[in-house]
Amino acid sequence: MTQWLHMSHMLPFLPDQTINNLYPPTTFPIEVRHFLAEWIESQRWEDFTLENVEQESQARVLFDQAISTLQTIAQQNSSVVDRMKLMQISKKLAVCHQPLQFAVMVKNMLRNENAMINMQAQTPNIQHCTPPEVSSPSMQDVDHLVLKVLDIQNTRQTMHQLQEELNWEKHNCEAFQGPHQHNGLDKTMAEIQKVQSKIQQLDFNLNSMAKKRFQLLKECVDCLDQCQSRFISRLKLWRWEQHKATIGHPFDDNLNPLQTWCEQLLGVNGKLRQELMLIGEPIPELQERLRQLLQVLIQSSLVVEKQPPQVIKTQSKFSTTVRYLLGEKIAPGKPVVLKAQIINESQARNQGSIPGDTVGELLNNTAILEHNTASKNTCATFRNMSIKKIKRADRKGTESVTEEKFALLFSTEITITGCDTPYRIQMISLPLVVIVHGSQDNNALATIIWDCAFCEPDRVPFVVPEYVPWRMMYSTLNSKFTSEVQTKHHLDKCNQHFLAQKIFDKPDYNGDFSNMMVSWAQFNKEVLPGRMFTFWQWFEGAMELTKKHLKTYWSEKLIFGFIGKQHLHLILKDKPNGTFLLRFSDSEIGGITIAYVSTTDNGGLKIQNIQPFAKRDLEIRSLGDRIRDISEITHLYPNRPKHDVFQKFYTEPQASPTGGYIPVSLHTKVGTEAASTSHLSPSTVCPSPSMAGVCPSPSMAGVCPSPSMTVVSENSSSALGYPLNQFPQQQCDQPEAIPPDIMDVVASPEGSLPELSTGNNMDL
């Protein structure tokens, strides 16, 4: 019963069609296999053939025993349903089969099971493909192909038995046609004719089986070709999905089902090549097709499982992992060393040969393909790779260094068990941009985003369109935003419309932007009107601020986000005094501002925008605490009391410090309120950006009060340990030097240093 135990473990992972082929419901239901498992495996079935009529009596004995045993099991079964089902099956078997036919069917069924078990042993991942999804059409194709190969093997074995029987009958006939005395018995002419007739029948059967065998072989090669094409298409789709994951598309990185599929294709190819050799005469057409299929499969099975970073700074370490799907089939002996080299766009278009000219110097660019017996994966991991230097191509026009794309090319020579010749294999990574300074990161990322979002499948590396419809652009921005922030709250229609107005510079247009074409220049080459930054730099700043400081606020839909001032006035104009909403700054990179309704001097209402809070501001004091501080705002749009909404974001007051120090707290003040509470002399006001980077002492480092911050203590003369007019001065950290080859990068926008506005001071 050992064989049935193996099969019962495999059955949940096999397609229904495969199970029905193994156990035809009308002639040999799976229930018969299950309930008679022990009895079936204890009998001898291998000798039975349909042509050997002398085995009829022996087959009759086994057939009657099978029916009788099944009826006995039925009668002893406590389940009425099982009992009636088994009785019906036993009656049906007795009608459907002749004994010899039944015996041959059981023999073939056991052979097919054994072959599938052996194949599972060679490709163990079959049990871990993708439960229940394993029954996908593509995997069904493989299973169907395996059964067709088993049919060829059974046909060959039947032909071998027919040939042996034919040889024996020919030998007898030759003996009869000699002296009419054979073993002391006279042979009549009638007996000789009977033998000759049998020889003719055997010869006819043998020729028929040979034709069937050849036809099956051709069908199997055709089927293998189709199945392998589907596998390669699915592998390309996996790489495509991996590429799209850069902009936030969902991606299942599990390669195990594809590895199982790949190993099965290799196994079928090997069995078909064996069957062709066993024919004894060459069939050049089929042999050549199998050779080409084998080569394509071996060379297509190298996959960059973990891509290198798509923006790489020179002299910085990074890692990447390459996996070989046929790793378990690599011939033992010499280790397989994988080499990586960096190639430019021109070299990537000529992947048929290893490039001779080097465009960059890679450190730690070799790794050994190593097999992990636990995971059954074979991978080469480059853990400490680094680009030492890069050689750039001549740039055209206004092209920036951050628009130039490279890739890593991985190559090696590999020998597969059962193959005589080694194969040269290679695979390139996704495109990447090489930078030499951190200030280039944002523009380099824009190049990658555009490439990942808008490249076509099977493109010429690394061609991308110059223009795309706005609907595609917006979809990309939405996917990237939600994936980076890790939120389920998407950009809404209001956000979408304002983003379109922004990128097209059409603040008054209220129509549909969907089919308007956006250019790469509008995305990240041309600065926005009246600004010193591009659309992508501005959008990415808002995304980063949300990711690092506002994720929960955004996810709970407390931030309105991208909204123009025209739309802002439209929705707030009829709201009561104190109504506010949170929106991303339109004029600064990475800022969030509070727009609120306030009263005018004559008692009317007006809409005000508080100076934006940037990353540095929210690191000092959270958005929730700032909202609590500002008394002018009372209700979040449309009419939610702010304390009900933001209570959970408020910071609890800190306990009084030890050592006799006077506690200090920070509070946000706006407008006249801040001015009325100011007690600082002009000499203590935080210096403006024009003061050449001079900052207060370490006790104030990184906490230069923004215009909207007030520091409150109970002793103005010693709260920070210095007299008010004697803060020690020191130079701020200088930014890292900018190398010469990045001078074409768009200049950093104004506001990269803290800016102050009037009406906000520091109160001690």
Side-chain angles (χ1 to χ4, degrees):
M1 193 171 164
T2 305
Q3 184 164 313
W4 176 242
L5 286 176
H6 278 294
M7 283 303 302
S8 61
H9 289 304
M10 292 173 60
L11 287 175
F13 302 96
L14 294 176
D16 292 345
Q17 185 60 44
T18 301
I19 296 173
N20 288 335
N21 288 338
L22 281 171
Y23 316 106
T26 57
T27 56
F28 193 84
I30 194 171
E31 291 89 348
V32 176
R33 181 66 178 101
H34 175 71
F35 286 102
L36 294 184
E38 187 173 358
W39 178 83
I40 287 174
E41 292 179 34
S42 65
Q43 311 302 319
R44 182 176 179 84
W45 306 92
E46 277 300 313
D47 297 332
F48 290 104
T49 62
L50 290 175
E51 294 79 14
N52 197 347
V53 294
E54 289 83 0
Q55 296 174 318
E56 184 75 31
S57 57
Q58 183 183 355
R60 167 64 65 181
V61 172
L62 289 175
F63 183 66
D64 291 343
Q65 286 182 6
I67 301 297
S68 174
T69 305
L70 197 61
Q71 290 174 345
T72 301
I73 292 172
Q75 292 168 358
Q76 295 174 350
N77 198 303
S78 57
S79 170
V80 176
V81 175
D82 286 344
R83 184 163 64 248
M84 298 304 296
K85 176 74 171 176
L86 291 176
M87 291 301 293
Q88 284 182 342
I89 290 174
S90 65
K91 292 177 181 178
K92 193 172 182 179
L93 284 178
V95 174
C96 289
H97 290 294
Q98 295 297 321
L100 190 56
Q101 180 188 28
F102 176 81
V104 172
M105 183 181 65
V106 175
K107 178 189 76 171
N108 291 336
M109 179 269 296
L110 291 172
R111 280 185 179 179
N112 292 343
E113 283 185 350
N114 189 55
M116 295 197 73
I117 291 169
N118 289 337
M119 184 165 288
Q120 184 272 336
Q122 295 169 7
T123 57
N125 288 335
I126 192 171
Q127 292 188 15
H128 310 285
C129 286
T130 44
E133 287 82 9
V134 75
S135 59
S136 65
S138 297
M139 297 303 290
Q140 285 184 19
D141 289 345
V142 179
D143 294 325
H144 179 63
L145 183 56
V146 169
L147 291 178
K148 288 178 76 72
V149 173
L150 294 176
D151 198 4
I152 293 174
Q153 293 172 334
N154 291 336
T155 302
R156 171 173 50 80
Q157 291 167 357
T158 301
M159 287 179 64
H160 181 72
Q161 294 171 354
L162 285 173
Q163 186 63 58
E164 288 182 336
E165 191 173 353
L166 179 61
N167 293 341
W168 174 254
E169 295 299 338
K170 284 183 178 180
H171 173 73
N172 285 341
C173 188
E174 289 173 359
F176 294 161
Q177 290 175 349
H180 284 265
Q181 200 71 4
H182 186 71
N183 294 332
L185 298 174
D186 292 332
K187 300 297 179 182
T188 65
M189 186 60 67
E191 290 175 318
I192 294 174
Q193 289 177 347
K194 181 179 178 182
V195 172
Q196 289 176 336
S197 177
K198 187 172 184 180
I199 290 173
Q200 290 176 353
Q201 183 62 45
L202 287 171
D203 194 49
F204 175 82
N205 291 344
L206 192 61
N207 289 332
S208 298
M209 295 294 283
K211 291 178 181 178
K212 176 186 175 183
R213 182 185 183 188
F214 176 79
Q215 185 61 32
L216 284 172
L217 274 168
K218 189 176 183 307
E219 289 176 2
C220 276
V221 174
D222 291 339
C223 186
L224 177 63
D225 195 343
Q226 295 168 6
C227 194
Q228 184 166 307
S229 295
R230 281 190 283 271
F231 163 74
I232 292 175
S233 296
R234 182 62 188 87
L235 190 57
K236 287 180 178 178
L237 179 60
W238 186 92
R239 294 191 185 107
W240 174 255
E241 290 170 347
Q242 184 189 46
H243 197 183
K244 290 294 183 181
T246 304
I247 56 173
H249 285 207
F251 170 56
D252 180 4
D253 62 355
N254 182 19
L255 277 169
N256 290 341
L258 285 170
Q259 177 170 311
T260 298
W261 191 353
C262 186
E263 290 170 341
Q264 287 180 317
L265 291 172
L266 180 68
V268 169
N269 192 300
K271 290 183 182 300
L272 289 176
R273 283 182 290 123
Q274 287 179 354
E275 291 300 321
L276 280 174
M277 286 188 287
L278 289 171
I279 286 180
E281 57 185 77
I283 307 178
E285 178 192 353
L286 296 184
Q287 290 170 332
E288 177 60 20
R289 286 184 64 191
L290 286 175
R291 187 195 67 78
Q292 290 179 355
L293 287 171
L294 177 65
Q295 179 177 342
V296 170
L297 184 66
I298 291 173
Q299 294 178 335
S300 301
S301 300
L302 192 65
V303 183
V304 184
E305 184 173 33
K306 179 190 173 187
Q307 292 286 341
Q310 289 190 266
V311 176
I312 301 178
K313 184 181 175 183
T314 56
Q315 312 296 334
S316 299
K317 291 182 180 179
F318 64 91
S319 64
T320 182
T321 301
V322 180
R323 178 167 166 181
Y324 192 58
L325 300 182
L326 294 175
E328 289 194 324
K329 308 303 179 182
I330 295 176
K334 184 180 178 181
V336 178
V337 179
L338 213 63
K339 180 182 178 181
Q341 61 188 110
I342 191 163
I343 59 175
N344 59 25
E345 190 166 329
S346 176
Q347 292 170 329
R349 294 177 184 179
N350 186 25
Q351 295 181 45
S353 60
I354 303 298
D357 297 334
T358 177
V359 297
E361 185 177 342
L362 282 175
L363 297 180
N364 302 318
N365 67 328
T366 59
I368 297 175
L369 272 177
E370 297 178 305
H371 183 67
N372 185 318
T373 53
S375 64
K376 303 189 183 302
N377 297 340
T378 303
C379 299
T381 301
F382 300 81
R383 293 182 176 82
N384 295 295
M385 198 183 293
S386 175
I387 300 177
K388 186 176 180 181
K389 60 182 180 180
I390 192 71
K391 178 182 177 182
R392 300 190 184 276
D394 294 334
R395 297 195 295 277
K396 299 177 182 179
T398 60
E399 188 179 36
S400 164
V401 294
T402 57
E403 295 177 70
E404 186 176 5
K405 287 176 274 192
F406 298 87
L408 296 185
L409 173 70
F410 303 94
S411 59
T412 190
E413 194 171 80
I414 205 162
T415 302
I416 297 296
T417 301
C419 301
D420 298 330
T421 58
Y423 291 87
R424 189 78 190 178
I425 60 174
Q426 61 184 43
M427 178 53 62
I428 67 169
S429 71
L430 294 178
L432 53 90
V433 176
V434 180
I435 63 174
V436 297
H437 192 273
S439 62
Q440 295 174 309
D441 185 78
N442 185 284
N443 292 317
L445 182 58
T447 299
I448 295 301
I449 295 296
W450 189 275
D451 185 276
C452 294
F454 308 125
C455 69
E456 297 291 336
D458 295 325
R459 62 168 173 180
V460 175
F462 296 109
V463 175
V464 290
E466 187 67 23
Y467 292 86
V468 297
W470 166 249
R471 63 179 182 276
M472 292 177 62
M473 183 80 260
Y474 167 69
S475 176
T476 298
L477 295 174
N478 183 50
S479 294
K480 185 63 177 174
F481 189 95
T482 52
S483 65
E484 281 294 315
V485 177
Q486 295 184 342
T487 178
K488 294 181 180 179
H489 177 38
H490 293 258
L491 303 177
D492 61 20
K493 290 183 178 179
C494 293
N495 297 154
Q496 177 184 0
H497 190 75
F498 174 63
L499 290 172
Q501 290 178 323
K502 187 87 169 173
I503 201 168
F504 289 113
D505 188 27
K506 292 189 174 185
D508 300 324
Y509 184 74
N510 293 318
D512 185 10
F513 287 97
S514 298
N515 295 319
M516 293 182 67
M517 302 300 287
V518 180
S519 70
W520 159 249
Q522 288 172 308
F523 180 63
N524 195 54
K525 282 187 73 71
E526 301 168 352
V527 296
L528 293 169
R531 311 296 183 208
M532 293 294 293
F533 46 80
T534 66
F535 174 87
W536 166 252
Q537 290 167 344
W538 169 75
F539 179 85
E540 197 264 349
M543 182 173 67
E544 280 297 299
L545 183 73
T546 308
K547 174 183 176 181
K548 294 178 179 177
H549 296 284
L550 307 173
K551 175 182 176 180
T552 305
Y553 299 90
W554 175 267
S555 297
E556 296 187 12
K557 303 181 181 180
L558 305 180
I559 298 176
F560 204 96
F562 300 101
I563 179 175
K565 291 182 179 178
Q566 190 178 42
H567 187 198
L568 176 70
H569 281 260
L570 186 64
I571 64 175
L572 289 182
K573 67 178 182 178
D574 296 326
K575 293 298 177 182
N577 182 29
T579 303
F580 71 98
L581 59 76
L582 299 166
R583 71 179 186 89
F584 296 123
S585 172
D586 181 37
S587 59
E588 294 187 13
I589 292 179
I592 188 167
T593 184
I594 300 174
Y596 71 99
V597 180
S598 67
T599 56
T600 62
D601 294 339
N602 58 10
L605 296 178
K606 63 180 179 180
I607 296 172
Q608 305 238 73
N609 288 275
I610 296 175
Q611 179 181 335
F613 302 119
K615 172 179 176 290
R616 63 183 180 274
D617 301 312
L618 299 181
E619 287 172 347
I620 297 169
R621 188 159 178 78
S622 72
L623 180 63
D625 286 336
R626 290 179 181 275
I627 290 172
R628 176 176 58 178
D629 293 342
I630 302 172
S631 58
E632 289 87 349
I633 58 177
T634 59
H635 288 75
L636 180 67
Y637 175 84
N639 58 359
R640 302 166 68 187
K642 77 172 184 180
H643 294 306
D644 293 349
V645 176
F646 294 97
Q647 176 75 39
K648 64 181 178 182
F649 298 105
Y650 296 164
T651 302
E652 294 297 325
Q654 295 184 354
S656 299
T658 59
Y661 289 104
I662 298 172
V664 177
S665 61
L666 299 176
H667 293 275
T668 306
K669 305 291 184 182
V670 297
T672 56
E673 182 183 6
S676 66
T677 58
S678 174
H679 303 295
L680 283 176
S681 65
S683 63
T684 62
V685 176
C686 185
S688 74
S690 62
M691 293 183 64
V694 178
C695 283
S697 71
S699 64
M700 298 282 287
V703 196
C704 273
S706 86
S708 55
M709 291 300 298
T710 302
V711 182
V712 180
S713 77
E714 296 180 7
N715 189 334
S716 62
S717 65
S718 61
L720 297 176
Y722 297 101
L724 287 177
N725 60 351
Q726 295 182 15
F727 283 116
Q729 305 293 306
Q730 67 177 18
Q731 295 293 324
C732 291
D733 292 338
Q734 295 298 316
E736 54 182 321
I738 300 178
D741 70 338
I742 64 166
M743 296 306 293
D744 57 348
V745 180
V746 177
S748 297
E750 293 182 2
S752 58
L753 293 175
E755 289 191 4
L756 303 177
S757 67
T758 59
N760 297 276
N761 298 301
M762 183 170 71
D763 193 347
L764 294 179

